[in-house]
Amino acid sequence: MAAIVVHGGAGGWERKDVEDVKEVLKEAVLKGFDLLREGRPVDACEEAIKVLEDSGLFNAGRGSVRNSEGKVEMDASIMVSDGRAGAVGAVRGVRNPISLARKVMERTDHTLIVGEGAERLGCAEPIEGREGTGDTVGCVVTDGKIVVAGTSTGGVKGKAPGRVGDSAVIGSGTYASDLGGASATGDGDRIMKVCLSYFVVNLINLGLSPMKACLAGVDLLERRTGGRGGVIALNLKGEVGFAYNTRAMPVAYRNSGTERVLFSGLDVE
Ligand code: ASP
């Protein structure tokens, strides 16, 4: 079954933003779902994330936070269930880091390229920034045959220049196998210590539902590292999962069985 799930980061939300956030998440889901129907799952994942990066509402693309020197440095990654993967770390002046990650996957022999080397792969239109109130963004899609997962972020506010987080690390921020995919968000320096997305996808491979796998992933993150964060996932059947231990984690999803886009994780006091 075709399915798509997106997240807008595990963190805190201002109540005033909720309607705007829902609208942008819905736009991302619908755009991705249309591309899935056209048989273009990699485009579906990339384009859904681009909608979120371009919105300026999230800590990704246009809305990225600044590091300790006031500069924007972004991370992103994408992985396809056939084993292809690409990622970029600490890139500056790039409008859509997720597209750059896809370029690493499709046009180089490498998996992760950071800084200037990645920027030189080129992705037109430098970014004109504004700090979003939201968080990292991510997406997982399946057309019932392959799974694609992606993640994009401005990282942690005030981070050291050159710091690269989980969103650029295949297995931590993003992972896809033949049977499922996941995208994580939250305290990346801790998420990397439990390889959160790989852990969740592995549980799906072993037969757990995506929901149970996500709950187990967040539990592991909290128990082993004390970290705060969240993760979304889906399996080849189009079943969706999400879990977080932060105040909120906006999630929107749709599969061929649901007529409309469904939301979760937006209930903030
Ligand atoms: N995981 C991201 C990072 O540590 C940040 C986030 O998801 O809020 O770079």
Side-chain angles (χ1 to χ4, degrees):
M1 186 189 291
I4 177 167
V5 55
V6 300
H7 72 74
W13 280 97
E14 303 282 332
R15 206 183 217 305
K16 64 179 169 46
D17 289 337
V18 169
E19 286 314 312
D20 291 346
V21 165
K22 276 175 99 167
E23 206 161 298
V24 177
L25 291 178
K26 185 174 174 185
E27 192 191 328
V29 166
L30 292 178
K31 179 139 200 187
F33 203 72
D34 280 348
L35 290 162
L36 272 178
R37 280 200 176 124
E38 288 173 27
R40 296 163 57 192
V42 181
D43 289 338
C45 184
E46 180 189 357
E47 292 299 327
I49 289 179
K50 278 169 72 178
V51 168
L52 304 173
E53 287 177 336
D54 286 343
S55 71
L57 269 183
F58 302 96
N59 172 17
R62 261 185 83 211
S64 293
V65 298
R66 292 172 192 284
N67 67 14
S68 61
E69 290 177 349
K71 299 272 182 342
V72 168
E73 288 185 342
M74 299 162 288
D75 302 335
S77 56
I78 188 164
M79 184 166 189
V80 186
S81 51
D82 59 15
R84 288 181 295 148
V88 293
V91 292
R92 297 182 179 187
V94 174
R95 176 170 165 178
N96 295 114
I98 192 65
S99 302
L100 209 51
R102 184 174 175 179
K103 279 195 175 166
V104 171
M105 174 170 84
E106 293 181 342
R107 301 200 194 161
T108 78
D109 289 330
H110 305 303
T111 303
L112 169 61
I113 303 183
V114 303
E116 241 185 77
E119 290 154 22
R120 271 195 244 125
L121 289 172
C123 247
E125 302 181 76
I127 194 165
E128 127 265 325
R130 53 162 275 190
E131 215 162 275
T133 55
D135 245 299
T136 297
V137 302
C139 174
V140 191
V141 304
T142 183
D143 59 359
K145 293 188 223 79
I146 69 166
V147 181
V148 188
T151 310
S152 179
T153 189
V156 178
K157 198 172 185 168
K159 65 189 178 182
R163 180 263 188 190
V164 173
D166 62 304
S167 310
V169 178
I170 296 297
S172 290
T174 301
Y175 200 74
S177 79
D178 283 345
L179 299 177
S183 165
T185 166
D187 181 347
D189 294 293
R190 292 195 164 98
I191 288 171
M192 285 191 282
K193 290 173 181 145
V194 294
C195 301
L196 184 56
S197 291
Y198 180 72
F199 178 80
V200 167
V201 170
N202 236 343
L203 292 179
I204 293 173
N205 291 344
L206 292 171
L208 251 69
S209 71
M211 200 60 97
K212 283 194 176 145
C214 287
L215 286 166
V218 170
D219 182 56
L220 175 78
L221 175 69
E222 191 165 319
R223 268 188 302 110
R224 281 199 52 109
T225 71
R228 300 252 151 213
V231 61
I232 57 169
L234 55 72
N235 63 14
L236 213 53
K237 289 190 239 166
E239 294 168 338
V240 170
F242 41 84
Y244 54 97
N245 63 358
T246 52
R247 202 158 74 96
M249 183 180 80
V251 172
Y253 56 102
R254 176 167 186 188
N255 64 28
S256 315
T258 53
E259 295 268 299
R260 9 182 227 108
V261 178
L262 302 174
F263 295 96
S264 188
L266 278 153
D267 312 319
V268 287
E269 297 100 56

PDB file of all heavy atoms in Angstrom, residues 214-235:
ATOM      1  N   CYS A 214       8.697   2.251  17.066  1.00  0.00           N
ATOM      2  CA  CYS A 214       9.010   3.639  17.437  1.00  0.00           C
ATOM      3  C   CYS A 214       8.989   3.812  18.954  1.00  0.00           C
ATOM      4  O   CYS A 214       9.872   4.470  19.523  1.00  0.00           O
ATOM      5  CB  CYS A 214       8.006   4.598  16.790  1.00  0.00           C
ATOM      6  SG  CYS A 214       8.250   4.796  15.020  1.00  0.00           S
ATOM      7  N   LEU A 215       8.002   3.218  19.603  1.00  0.00           N
ATOM      8  CA  LEU A 215       7.921   3.317  21.067  1.00  0.00           C
ATOM      9  C   LEU A 215       9.166   2.705  21.708  1.00  0.00           C
ATOM     10  O   LEU A 215       9.753   3.269  22.635  1.00  0.00           O
ATOM     11  CB  LEU A 215       6.664   2.606  21.578  1.00  0.00           C
ATOM     12  CG  LEU A 215       5.341   3.354  21.311  1.00  0.00           C
ATOM     13  CD1 LEU A 215       4.143   2.440  21.525  1.00  0.00           C
ATOM     14  CD2 LEU A 215       5.228   4.599  22.192  1.00  0.00           C
ATOM     15  N   ALA A 216       9.584   1.557  21.174  1.00  0.00           N
ATOM     16  CA  ALA A 216      10.781   0.897  21.715  1.00  0.00           C
ATOM     17  C   ALA A 216      12.026   1.747  21.459  1.00  0.00           C
ATOM     18  O   ALA A 216      12.936   1.812  22.293  1.00  0.00           O
ATOM     19  CB  ALA A 216      10.934  -0.488  21.086  1.00  0.00           C
ATOM     20  N   GLY A 217      12.070   2.416  20.319  1.00  0.00           N
ATOM     21  CA  GLY A 217      13.215   3.262  19.973  1.00  0.00           C
ATOM     22  C   GLY A 217      13.350   4.438  20.929  1.00  0.00           C
ATOM     23  O   GLY A 217      14.446   4.741  21.428  1.00  0.00           O
ATOM     24  N   VAL A 218      12.239   5.104  21.197  1.00  0.00           N
ATOM     25  CA  VAL A 218      12.282   6.263  22.094  1.00  0.00           C
ATOM     26  C   VAL A 218      12.599   5.815  23.520  1.00  0.00           C
ATOM     27  O   VAL A 218      13.343   6.478  24.251  1.00  0.00           O
ATOM     28  CB  VAL A 218      10.948   7.060  22.018  1.00  0.00           C
ATOM     29  CG1 VAL A 218      10.881   8.124  23.107  1.00  0.00           C
ATOM     30  CG2 VAL A 218      10.803   7.693  20.639  1.00  0.00           C
ATOM     31  N   ASP A 219      12.083   4.647  23.885  1.00  0.00           N
ATOM     32  CA  ASP A 219      12.377   4.092  25.203  1.00  0.00           C
ATOM     33  C   ASP A 219      13.886   3.835  25.350  1.00  0.00           C
ATOM     34  O   ASP A 219      14.498   4.179  26.362  1.00  0.00           O
ATOM     35  CB  ASP A 219      11.563   2.788  25.363  1.00  0.00           C
ATOM     36  CG  ASP A 219      11.762   2.174  26.721  1.00  0.00           C
ATOM     37  OD1 ASP A 219      11.503   2.884  27.708  1.00  0.00           O
ATOM     38  OD2 ASP A 219      12.205   1.012  26.804  1.00  0.00           O
ATOM     39  N   LEU A 220      14.469   3.260  24.310  1.00  0.00           N
ATOM     40  CA  LEU A 220      15.916   2.996  24.332  1.00  0.00           C
ATOM     41  C   LEU A 220      16.709   4.305  24.455  1.00  0.00           C
ATOM     42  O   LEU A 220      17.643   4.411  25.260  1.00  0.00           O
ATOM     43  CB  LEU A 220      16.328   2.270  23.040  1.00  0.00           C
ATOM     44  CG  LEU A 220      17.825   2.028  22.879  1.00  0.00           C
ATOM     45  CD1 LEU A 220      18.273   0.845  23.740  1.00  0.00           C
ATOM     46  CD2 LEU A 220      18.193   1.788  21.422  1.00  0.00           C
ATOM     47  N   LEU A 221      16.305   5.292  23.667  1.00  0.00           N
ATOM     48  CA  LEU A 221      16.986   6.595  23.700  1.00  0.00           C
ATOM     49  C   LEU A 221      16.965   7.167  25.115  1.00  0.00           C
ATOM     50  O   LEU A 221      17.997   7.629  25.624  1.00  0.00           O
ATOM     51  CB  LEU A 221      16.284   7.557  22.718  1.00  0.00           C
ATOM     52  CG  LEU A 221      16.780   9.001  22.707  1.00  0.00           C
ATOM     53  CD1 LEU A 221      18.190   9.087  22.115  1.00  0.00           C
ATOM     54  CD2 LEU A 221      15.827   9.897  21.894  1.00  0.00           C
ATOM     55  N   GLU A 222      15.802   7.097  25.746  1.00  0.00           N
ATOM     56  CA  GLU A 222      15.665   7.674  27.086  1.00  0.00           C
ATOM     57  C   GLU A 222      16.448   6.866  28.130  1.00  0.00           C
ATOM     58  O   GLU A 222      17.178   7.416  28.948  1.00  0.00           O
ATOM     59  CB  GLU A 222      14.178   7.719  27.450  1.00  0.00           C
ATOM     60  CG  GLU A 222      13.932   8.530  28.685  1.00  0.00           C
ATOM     61  CD  GLU A 222      12.458   8.878  28.859  1.00  0.00           C
ATOM     62  OE1 GLU A 222      11.782   9.221  27.868  1.00  0.00           O
ATOM     63  OE2 GLU A 222      11.993   8.787  30.000  1.00  0.00           O
ATOM     64  N   ARG A 223      16.316   5.550  28.060  1.00  0.00           N
ATOM     65  CA  ARG A 223      16.965   4.704  29.069  1.00  0.00           C
ATOM     66  C   ARG A 223      18.481   4.747  28.977  1.00  0.00           C
ATOM     67  O   ARG A 223      19.182   4.832  29.970  1.00  0.00           O
ATOM     68  CB  ARG A 223      16.509   3.249  28.900  1.00  0.00           C
ATOM     69  CG  ARG A 223      15.306   2.874  29.745  1.00  0.00           C
ATOM     70  CD  ARG A 223      15.019   1.386  29.698  1.00  0.00           C
ATOM     71  NE  ARG A 223      14.789   0.894  28.356  1.00  0.00           N
ATOM     72  CZ  ARG A 223      15.614   0.100  27.686  1.00  0.00           C
ATOM     73  NH1 ARG A 223      16.749  -0.300  28.232  1.00  0.00           N
ATOM     74  NH2 ARG A 223      15.323  -0.317  26.464  1.00  0.00           N
ATOM     75  N   ARG A 224      18.997   4.675  27.749  1.00  0.00           N
ATOM     76  CA  ARG A 224      20.461   4.560  27.607  1.00  0.00           C
ATOM     77  C   ARG A 224      21.190   5.884  27.669  1.00  0.00           C
ATOM     78  O   ARG A 224      22.359   5.939  28.042  1.00  0.00           O
ATOM     79  CB  ARG A 224      20.806   3.871  26.285  1.00  0.00           C
ATOM     80  CG  ARG A 224      20.639   2.368  26.375  1.00  0.00           C
ATOM     81  CD  ARG A 224      21.387   1.656  25.281  1.00  0.00           C
ATOM     82  NE  ARG A 224      22.782   2.027  25.173  1.00  0.00           N
ATOM     83  CZ  ARG A 224      23.792   1.241  25.513  1.00  0.00           C
ATOM     84  NH1 ARG A 224      23.565   0.063  26.008  1.00  0.00           N
ATOM     85  NH2 ARG A 224      25.028   1.639  25.343  1.00  0.00           N
ATOM     86  N   THR A 225      20.499   6.943  27.242  1.00  0.00           N
ATOM     87  CA  THR A 225      21.226   8.215  27.128  1.00  0.00           C
ATOM     88  C   THR A 225      20.554   9.364  27.864  1.00  0.00           C
ATOM     89  O   THR A 225      21.137  10.436  27.974  1.00  0.00           O
ATOM     90  CB  THR A 225      21.342   8.633  25.640  1.00  0.00           C
ATOM     91  OG1 THR A 225      20.039   9.029  25.177  1.00  0.00           O
ATOM     92  CG2 THR A 225      21.863   7.514  24.768  1.00  0.00           C
ATOM     93  N   GLY A 226      19.311   9.185  28.278  1.00  0.00           N
ATOM     94  CA  GLY A 226      18.561  10.296  28.867  1.00  0.00           C
ATOM     95  C   GLY A 226      18.117  11.291  27.804  1.00  0.00           C
ATOM     96  O   GLY A 226      17.664  12.389  28.122  1.00  0.00           O
ATOM     97  N   GLY A 227      18.249  10.917  26.550  1.00  0.00           N
ATOM     98  CA  GLY A 227      17.963  11.851  25.450  1.00  0.00           C
ATOM     99  C   GLY A 227      16.482  12.072  25.206  1.00  0.00           C
ATOM    100  O   GLY A 227      15.650  11.224  25.497  1.00  0.00           O
ATOM    101  N   ARG A 228      16.208  13.245  24.668  1.00  0.00           N
ATOM    102  CA  ARG A 228      14.830  13.596  24.297  1.00  0.00           C
ATOM    103  C   ARG A 228      14.731  13.613  22.777  1.00  0.00           C
ATOM    104  O   ARG A 228      15.614  14.124  22.093  1.00  0.00           O
ATOM    105  CB  ARG A 228      14.481  15.000  24.790  1.00  0.00           C
ATOM    106  CG  ARG A 228      14.583  15.151  26.256  1.00  0.00           C
ATOM    107  CD  ARG A 228      13.192  15.263  26.861  1.00  0.00           C
ATOM    108  NE  ARG A 228      13.201  14.729  28.209  1.00  0.00           N
ATOM    109  CZ  ARG A 228      12.173  14.107  28.744  1.00  0.00           C
ATOM    110  NH1 ARG A 228      11.077  13.890  28.052  1.00  0.00           N
ATOM    111  NH2 ARG A 228      12.230  13.670  29.977  1.00  0.00           N
ATOM    112  N   GLY A 229      13.653  13.052  22.283  1.00  0.00           N
ATOM    113  CA  GLY A 229      13.511  13.057  20.831  1.00  0.00           C
ATOM    114  C   GLY A 229      12.308  12.272  20.383  1.00  0.00           C
ATOM    115  O   GLY A 229      11.421  11.933  21.168  1.00  0.00           O
ATOM    116  N   GLY A 230      12.286  11.976  19.106  1.00  0.00           N
ATOM    117  CA  GLY A 230      11.163  11.236  18.547  1.00  0.00           C
ATOM    118  C   GLY A 230      11.567  10.587  17.238  1.00  0.00           C
ATOM    119  O   GLY A 230      12.648  10.844  16.698  1.00  0.00           O
ATOM    120  N   VAL A 231      10.671   9.744  16.742  1.00  0.00           N
ATOM    121  CA  VAL A 231      10.962   9.037  15.497  1.00  0.00           C
ATOM    122  C   VAL A 231       9.644   8.686  14.810  1.00  0.00           C
ATOM    123  O   VAL A 231       8.641   8.426  15.474  1.00  0.00           O
ATOM    124  CB  VAL A 231      11.839   7.784  15.792  1.00  0.00           C
ATOM    125  CG1 VAL A 231      11.150   6.790  16.697  1.00  0.00           C
ATOM    126  CG2 VAL A 231      12.320   7.116  14.521  1.00  0.00           C
ATOM    127  N   ILE A 232       9.656   8.743  13.474  1.00  0.00           N
ATOM    128  CA  ILE A 232       8.515   8.267  12.688  1.00  0.00           C
ATOM    129  C   ILE A 232       8.983   7.075  11.867  1.00  0.00           C
ATOM    130  O   ILE A 232      10.182   6.948  11.563  1.00  0.00           O
ATOM    131  CB  ILE A 232       7.943   9.340  11.731  1.00  0.00           C
ATOM    132  CG1 ILE A 232       9.021   9.878  10.760  1.00  0.00           C
ATOM    133  CG2 ILE A 232       7.290  10.476  12.509  1.00  0.00           C
ATOM    134  CD1 ILE A 232       8.482  10.734   9.635  1.00  0.00           C
ATOM    135  N   ALA A 233       8.030   6.201  11.502  1.00  0.00           N
ATOM    136  CA  ALA A 233       8.418   5.035  10.698  1.00  0.00           C
ATOM    137  C   ALA A 233       7.213   4.528   9.929  1.00  0.00           C
ATOM    138  O   ALA A 233       6.070   4.837  10.270  1.00  0.00           O
ATOM    139  CB  ALA A 233       8.942   3.919  11.608  1.00  0.00           C
ATOM    140  N   LEU A 234       7.472   3.776   8.904  1.00  0.00           N
ATOM    141  CA  LEU A 234       6.399   2.997   8.275  1.00  0.00           C
ATOM    142  C   LEU A 234       6.973   1.723   7.690  1.00  0.00           C
ATOM    143  O   LEU A 234       8.188   1.583   7.530  1.00  0.00           O
ATOM    144  CB  LEU A 234       5.601   3.811   7.255  1.00  0.00           C
ATOM    145  CG  LEU A 234       6.256   4.524   6.101  1.00  0.00           C
ATOM    146  CD1 LEU A 234       6.733   3.557   5.071  1.00  0.00           C
ATOM    147  CD2 LEU A 234       5.214   5.456   5.468  1.00  0.00           C
ATOM    148  N   ASN A 235       6.053   0.783   7.444  1.00  0.00           N
ATOM    149  CA  ASN A 235       6.487  -0.475   6.834  1.00  0.00           C
ATOM    150  C   ASN A 235       5.922  -0.588   5.417  1.00  0.00           C
ATOM    151  O   ASN A 235       5.163   0.279   4.967  1.00  0.00           O
ATOM    152  CB  ASN A 235       6.103  -1.676   7.710  1.00  0.00           C
ATOM    153  CG  ASN A 235       4.596  -1.833   7.865  1.00  0.00           C
ATOM    154  OD1 ASN A 235       3.818  -1.222   7.130  1.00  0.00           O
ATOM    155  ND2 ASN A 235       4.183  -2.649   8.818  1.00  0.00           N
TER     156      ASN A 235
END
